[in-house]
Amino acid sequence: TDRNTRRQRPTRTQKDAYNDVVREFETNILHDPMGFDVESVVIPRFIHESPELTMKFLKRLHRFATEARNSVDMQTAATSNQSFPAAQPGVTAALPDNSDVAKRRPRKLVSL
């Protein structure tokens, strides 16, 4: 194959830029998974220029938001089924942390 006709692989800088944007959106999703709407996402220009990358980006955010919502739903169900200790001074119930969604997902290299 001719080098000029082959599709160029993204540079490390391009991959890092994409991953930075994804991490920023994932952090926003974790702060408010129920309020996140993939339809309202303002797609960065370098992603928007490629229809394939745009779809990949939106699908990734949608999947992450769904997982985050499911995690919140499971936590809510778990806490509503638990019996909390009687209200005593100095006793507080600890709720699970939402950040386990981000820790659970393996990171993959993204090809632009």
Side-chain angles (χ1 to χ4, degrees):
T1 27
D2 185 40
R3 279 182 97 67
N4 294 333
T5 59
R6 242 189 321 173
R7 185 174 156 191
Q8 288 290 330
R9 295 179 64 182
T11 64
R12 171 58 57 196
T13 304
Q14 290 169 327
K15 289 179 190 178
D16 288 345
Y18 178 83
N19 287 328
D20 289 345
V21 169
V22 169
R23 265 187 248 108
E24 182 180 332
F25 276 98
E26 287 177 349
T27 301
N28 292 340
I29 291 169
L30 288 176
H31 284 10
D32 185 15
M34 299 303 182
F36 178 78
D37 181 21
V38 76
E39 304 269 332
S40 66
V41 171
V42 177
I43 302 169
R45 186 175 178 184
F46 75 96
I47 294 174
H48 193 272
E49 290 172 348
S50 167
E52 286 179 26
L53 188 57
T54 299
M55 290 310 299
K56 185 177 185 177
F57 177 71
L58 292 175
K59 285 179 184 178
R60 183 173 180 174
L61 292 182
H62 177 71
R63 184 176 60 243
F64 189 85
T66 301
E67 290 174 7
R69 286 185 193 112
N70 290 341
S71 176
V72 168
D73 288 342
M74 288 190 311
Q75 289 173 3
T76 303
T79 57
S80 66
N81 291 335
Q82 292 176 351
S83 59
F84 288 102
Q88 298 173 3
V91 176
T92 58
L95 296 177
D97 185 20
N98 284 351
S99 63
D100 66 327
V101 174
K103 293 176 188 171
R104 218 176 32 220
R105 293 188 65 228
R107 294 284 179 192
K108 297 179 182 176
L109 285 180
V110 177
S111 62
L112 302 176

